[in-house]
Amino acid sequence: MERRKFLFRSVQASALLLISGNVFASALPMFNPVKKKKVYFHYLLFWLRKDLSAAEVKEFENFFEGLKKLPYQKNLRYGKPAGSSPRNVLDNTFTYNASMEFDTLEELEAYGQLPEHLALVKKYKPFFEKMIVHDTVYN
């Protein structure tokens, strides 16, 4: 009988330790918050020349495909306006947009100076009449 009580109390103590350990582990971030890593986004808007042929407009996508191959950037995506319902705050006058991520501001800045990047910009600059860039940092 004493052995049974001992085993039962041992199981109870183990369960209590397990539960309290999980509660303590889940509360740790409150006492020692993990610093979230910043992410840098590079967002581009392009207005292509109106006199380009459909084939030239399609060829412009090779600009983005070339950028995808360069170091530092991650998750490059590009597309055209979505055709959302018109509203006062919506600007869908652009032809293409692109966005990509960078781990640091230094990498974003270095990316812009890569000879391969500069060569792609030089090659495809005659295709567009206007370009706007937005760089953003997210915590």
Side-chain angles (χ1 to χ4, degrees), residues 19-50:
I19 291 169
S20 63
N22 287 340
V23 169
F24 179 71
S26 66
L28 274 179
M30 290 189 309
F31 300 109
N32 187 15
V34 177
K35 290 186 178 181
K36 292 185 178 179
K37 185 176 144 184
K38 292 181 179 180
V39 178
Y40 294 82
F41 278 86
H42 188 57
Y43 186 74
L44 315 162
L45 292 162
F46 295 91
W47 286 261
L48 298 188
R49 291 188 1 240
K50 306 262 188 269

Side-chain angles (χ1 to χ4, degrees), residues 18 35 54-55 57 61 68 74-75 89 94 111 134 139:
L18 182 64
K35 290 186 178 181
V57 171
E61 292 181 3
K68 279 184 178 182
K74 297 188 288 191
N75 301 321
V89 295
F94 61 93
Y111 174 83
H134 297 275
N139 293 322

Side-chain angles (χ1 to χ4, degrees), residues 4 81 131:
R4 269 191 177 159
M131 175 185 160

Side-chain angles (χ1 to χ4, degrees), residues 38-137:
K38 292 181 179 180
V39 178
Y40 294 82
F41 278 86
H42 188 57
Y43 186 74
L44 315 162
L45 292 162
F46 295 91
W47 286 261
L48 298 188
R49 291 188 1 240
K50 306 262 188 269
D51 63 337
L52 294 180
S53 68
E56 289 172 316
V57 171
K58 183 70 175 159
E59 183 188 335
F60 186 71
E61 292 181 3
N62 290 323
F63 174 61
F64 304 118
E65 293 300 322
L67 294 176
K68 279 184 178 182
K69 298 173 185 172
L70 299 181
Y72 305 122
Q73 68 78 29
K74 297 188 288 191
N75 301 321
L76 188 145
R77 293 177 175 221
Y78 62 93
K80 294 183 173 190
S84 306
S85 299
R87 43 194 198 278
N88 291 339
V89 295
L90 180 66
D91 177 3
N92 61 1
T93 61
F94 61 93
T95 314
Y96 279 98
N97 73 329
S99 66
M100 57 194 87
E101 298 176 37
F102 293 86
D103 288 331
T104 66
L105 182 57
E106 292 75 21
E107 288 183 357
L108 170 59
E109 304 262 332
Y111 174 83
Q113 298 304 314
L114 291 170
E116 302 90 343
H117 177 266
L118 297 173
L120 282 165
V121 170
K122 183 178 180 181
K123 179 178 179 179
Y124 289 100
K125 189 171 184 166
F127 285 64
F128 57 88
E129 58 189 35
K130 180 180 173 184
M131 175 185 160
I132 295 179
V133 177
H134 297 275
D135 289 336
T136 306
V137 60

